[in-house]
Amino acid sequence: QVQLVESGGGLVQPGGSLRLSCAASGFTFSSYTMYWYRQVPGKEREWVAYIISSGGSTNYADSVKGRFTISRDNVKNTVYLQMNSLKPEDTAVYYCKANSLRNWGQGTQVTVSS
């Protein structure tokens, strides 16, 4: 059974940093491109970043480019999102997802506020 468990969210001041983790199980993690998405209440879920299966290529939404870094550990079956220079508009619930799989985790709340 596919499971995705996000963690690492919290309350941080503008300009601060957080590192999110997503522990995956139930599928061959190393074969899948992994995504981070985020969602604000009342808005559609939007993709933030992705990393291909080998970790050799990444891509970012314009809104986070230069501030966020996605990475993965195919031994630990975990994908990470390092978030620096956080802004209030980064406040959202963050989710990870494996490309072509329908499963979502419970998400982790990130709140950027002074």
Side-chain angles (χ1 to χ4, degrees), residues 27-88:
F27 62 102
T28 306
F29 178 80
S30 59
S31 296
Y32 284 81
T33 292
M34 294 297 298
Y35 286 77
W36 282 99
Y37 285 79
R38 65 187 181 186
Q39 188 169 26
V40 175
K43 292 190 176 182
E44 289 191 2
R45 200 168 292 187
E46 63 172 356
W47 79 275
V48 173
Y50 71 76
I51 184 168
I52 66 170
S53 57
S54 67
S57 180
T58 59
N59 199 12
Y60 300 89
D62 287 343
S63 57
V64 307
K65 202 169 290 184
R67 300 187 298 120
F68 291 11
T69 303
I70 188 171
S71 61
R72 65 190 297 159
D73 185 331
N74 284 346
V75 174
K76 295 182 178 179
N77 288 355
T78 301
V79 60
Y80 304 97
L81 187 67
Q82 177 67 44
M83 305 187 297
N84 298 330
S85 302
L86 282 161
K87 304 175 181 180

Side-chain angles (χ1 to χ4, degrees), residues 2 4 6 37 45 95-97 101-107:
V2 173
L4 299 163
E6 299 92 343
Y37 285 79
R45 200 168 292 187
Y95 302 87
C96 66
K97 185 181 182 297
L101 297 183
R102 295 177 296 175
N103 308 76
W104 296 91
Q106 83 290 347

